[in-house]
Amino acid sequence: MYNMSKLRSAMQKGKRSTLTMAETTKTPRKRTKEAVKKEEEPTNPCTPTTYHTFHEPASVLQIQKKLLNWYDKEKRELPWRTVALKEPDVNIRTYAVWVSEIMLQQTQVATVIEYYNRWMKRWPTVQDLAAASLEEVNKMWAGLGYYSRGRRLHEGAQKVVTEMEGQMPRTVDSLLKQLPGVGRYTAGAIGSIALGEVSGVVDGNVIRVLCRLRAIGADSTSSAVTEALWTLANTVVDPERPGEFNQALMELGARVCTPKAALCGQCPLKTHCHSYRKVHVKQEANSQKLLGKVGKSPSTQGDIEDCPTPASCTLCPTEPWLDDLGVHNFPRKPAKKAPRVEQTLTCVARRPSEDGEDEYLLTQRPNKGLLAGMWEFPSLLLDEENSKVKQKGALCAEVGRILGVEVNKDLLSYVGEVVHIFSHIHQTYIVYSVSVEDEHATEETQSEKLQWLTRPALLEAAVSTGLKKILKLYESMGELSHEVLTLKDGKRKKVAKNSKLSASKKTKPNPANGTRQLSLNSFFKTTEET
């Protein structure tokens, strides 16, 4: 009875799939009588649509069975999967899966595990997260990248508590409509995994698996391919175990059907894979050519080697098949857009604290945009190439604006450059440093957007990976970066301005050799109040 009900369900889904995909290919125009008559005639069962779909209910059942059997044996034990299976409270379960899915966007599983465990330990419920501050959330998220994700989780939690009486959405549609930062994939994943909703999912791994299974070679980012993939995902998902089936499909893409080194021999679905069969057809044809058997057709199932009408098919590749790539011919993606190139001036400003430990000046970024709400060293985005003199002048003006003093550019030391790659920006930080060592250095300059932090506190704060790279470069320069100053005449001179140097290493000012003892007044001039 169970198999018969699944078969009937799969048959209905198969019919809906074929109808849906056929409808997307129609052109909205007035039909002639001849066109109507032609539509009423029986269609070729091997149209491009059926070639690229799961149109056989029995095959769908086999795919579901084989993939879930493989998953039950091979799946990785991950903390969010454990919660999804064992947590009886649907609100906590939905919240936990939501957190995991947001963290897993554009981030590898191995990286996410530690962050997820720390997050759930600190904020085990949506109410706990809603009560946290954005500063605490940014601090917890630091190093995970794509920082807007953490902010949206926080916004979503506050919305659930204040507008939805603390109850997480219970359907895919409500997840999509009510939670900020939740798109079609994330809603489908949360709904199927946490709530048992029968909904497919389409992420990078699933795109790769489905494109290879159904030999979809058109641009995988195009609207036609995107909609076709969602139709496939909703057709093939197992109605009895939708969450586990979706995770199995993603697991297969992550571990077996990989981008550049697919392990086809280990794939439980290889007998259902058009790409895999196509490779074998090509290999057999090439073998026969080498053996001089050009007249014979390959014994492998050649009738499904290609789509019957590739020229008019919106899912077939526009580029020729490359034998060397094999199944890696699918999917096809457009060339990536080159990242925007930016340069940013950054100043590492340091002062001794009352207990003698160095402190670093940090400012907070705006609450919107790149690295929103994160802390950084005083920085300026460069609009064009500038000489070091102009760079130092601009940076001095910015540091002076922040501290309310005038900064002499002669005491800024060039440290070096740090390259940091964001998803869409190739960022180069041009790093300078300055030491503040006078009675003014201990004046209270803390504010909501400004703070002095010791190194341990800095590393625990909501700072980006890029800032940590800058700090590492600064520290690797050692005493040199703290002592060498570039003067107006372009000459480089050493000045002992590190308060930690031993007395035996300090030298007295000597006008004869040009060495001078510096005070804060030589580069900080108190700005007159207006």
Side-chain angles (χ1 to χ4, degrees):
M1 289 296 291
Y2 171 76
N3 286 333
M4 285 301 293
S5 65
K6 290 195 72 176
L7 181 60
R8 283 195 296 271
S9 173
M11 289 178 69
Q12 291 172 353
K13 289 170 67 177
K15 290 177 181 177
R16 289 197 299 270
S17 167
T18 304
L19 285 172
T20 302
M21 295 190 66
E23 288 170 1
T24 61
T25 62
K26 294 178 184 178
T27 305
R29 62 187 179 189
K30 188 174 181 180
R31 298 176 299 168
T32 64
K33 291 181 178 179
E34 289 77 14
V36 173
K37 182 179 179 181
K38 189 173 183 180
E39 284 182 9
E40 292 174 350
E41 294 174 354
T43 56
N44 184 341
C46 196
T47 63
T49 303
T50 58
Y51 174 73
H52 294 296
T53 63
F54 299 114
H55 62 284
E56 297 178 354
S59 177
V60 170
L61 288 174
Q62 285 296 310
I63 289 173
Q64 293 168 351
K65 180 180 178 180
K66 291 178 180 179
L67 185 58
L68 285 170
N69 285 343
W70 172 83
Y71 180 72
D72 289 338
K73 296 175 183 177
E74 302 293 336
K75 67 182 177 183
R76 291 169 290 183
E77 295 297 328
L78 301 173
W80 47 89
R81 288 178 177 170
T82 302
V83 174
L85 288 174
K86 297 182 178 180
E87 175 56 57
D89 188 315
V90 66
N91 218 46
I92 294 176
R93 188 169 68 242
T94 305
Y95 163 71
V97 174
W98 175 36
V99 171
S100 71
E101 287 299 330
I102 298 299
M103 286 187 172
L104 287 165
Q105 292 172 3
Q106 305 293 326
T107 309
Q108 294 182 348
V109 169
T111 302
V112 169
I113 293 174
E114 180 183 351
Y115 281 88
Y116 178 82
N117 286 335
R118 286 195 285 116
W119 183 288
M120 294 304 296
K121 183 177 181 180
R122 182 162 186 179
W123 302 306
T125 69
V126 69
Q127 288 81 6
D128 294 323
L129 177 57
S133 67
L134 181 57
E135 173 71 13
E136 291 173 314
V137 170
N138 283 337
K139 182 177 177 181
M140 180 69 76
W141 200 274
L144 197 55
Y146 299 90
Y147 296 93
S148 62
R149 296 178 298 167
R151 185 175 71 253
R152 286 174 180 162
L153 267 174
H154 186 239
E155 290 173 3
Q158 291 183 326
K159 182 178 180 180
V160 169
V161 170
T162 59
E163 300 179 21
M164 302 164 61
E165 299 181 344
Q167 295 301 305
M168 292 289 295
R170 293 288 192 269
T171 66
V172 171
D173 287 342
S174 58
L175 286 161
L176 186 59
K177 293 175 182 177
Q178 295 177 324
L179 295 183
V182 170
R184 193 173 179 182
Y185 158 75
T186 306
I190 299 171
S192 62
I193 297 170
L195 302 169
E197 290 253 300
V198 183
S199 173
V201 296
V202 175
D203 74 339
N205 287 318
V206 174
I207 288 172
R208 187 164 55 255
V209 172
L210 294 180
C211 281
R212 289 174 182 171
L213 282 174
R214 298 297 91 177
I216 296 175
D219 177 3
S220 61
T221 64
S222 69
S223 58
V225 172
T226 298
E227 288 307 311
L229 292 171
W230 274 102
T231 300
L232 290 174
N234 286 322
T235 299
V236 77
V237 63
D238 189 292
E240 306 296 330
R241 299 171 63 187
E244 289 175 292
F245 181 87
N246 286 336
Q247 291 179 92
L249 206 56
M250 291 185 278
E251 186 95 338
L252 187 71
R255 298 176 58 194
V256 176
C257 195
T258 57
K260 297 180 180 179
L263 305 172
C264 294
Q266 299 178 23
C267 180
L269 304 182
K270 59 179 177 287
T271 58
H272 300 272
C273 182
H274 286 353
S275 301
Y276 180 76
R277 294 183 186 182
K278 188 178 180 71
V279 169
H280 282 267
V281 168
K282 294 287 186 182
Q283 288 176 343
E284 188 169 343
N286 291 337
S287 298
Q288 289 179 353
K289 286 180 181 179
L290 291 174
L291 295 172
K293 300 177 181 180
V294 181
K296 295 186 178 181
S297 59
S299 60
T300 310
Q301 302 177 32
D303 59 324
I304 61 165
E305 179 188 348
D306 287 307
C307 174
T309 56
S312 60
C313 179
T314 58
L315 303 182
C316 280
T318 56
E319 299 175 13
W321 171 275
L322 300 177
D323 288 344
D324 291 344
L325 291 180
V327 298
H328 304 109
N329 278 277
F330 305 109
R332 297 290 175 91
K333 296 181 179 180
K336 285 186 176 181
K337 184 179 179 181
R340 184 170 75 249
V341 176
E342 289 186 355
Q343 289 187 314
T344 297
L345 293 175
T346 299
C347 182
V348 180
R350 181 186 62 137
R351 75 175 187 183
S353 64
E354 293 181 356
D355 59 5
E357 188 175 4
D358 287 339
E359 293 181 331
Y360 298 91
L361 177 62
L362 295 180
T363 62
Q364 192 171 35
R365 292 181 61 85
N367 289 328
K368 294 183 178 180
L370 183 69
L371 303 177
M374 305 292 283
W375 292 88
E376 65 179 1
F377 294 125
S379 300
L380 272 179
L381 183 64
L382 275 180
D383 294 328
E384 56 185 22
E385 289 285 345
N386 289 313
S387 66
K388 285 188 178 180
V389 173
K390 288 184 178 179
Q391 290 177 4
K392 291 168 72 175
L395 202 51
C396 282
E398 176 65 8
V399 175
R401 181 192 66 79
I402 292 170
L403 293 177
V405 295
E406 185 177 333
V407 181
N408 187 330
K409 64 176 178 292
D410 290 345
L411 294 193
L412 247 67
S413 298
Y414 175 73
V415 178
E417 294 186 355
V418 169
V419 175
H420 186 67
I421 309 298
F422 296 94
S423 59
H424 58 296
I425 300 174
H426 185 285
Q427 181 69 261
T428 300
Y429 294 103
I430 303 172
V431 185
Y432 289 83
S433 68
V434 66
S435 294
V436 182
E437 298 182 359
D438 201 276
E439 63 275 6
H440 292 288
T442 58
E443 289 182 356
E444 185 60 44
T445 55
Q446 304 284 99
S447 70
E448 186 178 342
K449 300 288 185 180
L450 171 70
Q451 58 181 337
W452 290 89
L453 293 180
T454 62
R455 185 181 186 280
L458 181 153
L459 295 176
E460 291 296 320
V463 297
S464 68
T465 304
L467 181 141
K468 292 179 181 179
K469 288 182 180 180
I470 293 170
L471 181 63
K472 185 176 181 180
L473 171 68
Y474 171 76
E475 292 177 335
S476 71
M477 297 299 289
E479 297 298 335
L480 184 62
S481 66
H482 302 167
E483 295 180 328
V484 176
L485 306 177
T486 305
L487 303 181
K488 289 183 179 179
D489 58 6
K491 297 179 181 179
R492 299 178 70 80
K493 296 183 179 181
K494 251 190 182 182
V495 292
K497 62 186 183 68
N498 190 325
S499 61
K500 293 184 178 180
L501 292 176
S502 63
S504 61
K505 291 184 179 180
K506 293 183 179 179
T507 58
K508 294 182 178 180
N510 187 341
N513 60 21
T515 303
R516 57 195 178 103
Q517 184 71 38
L518 298 177
S519 69
L520 187 69
N521 292 333
S522 67
F523 68 100
F524 277 160
K525 298 176 182 178
T526 304
T527 304
E528 294 182 2
E529 295 183 4
T530 57

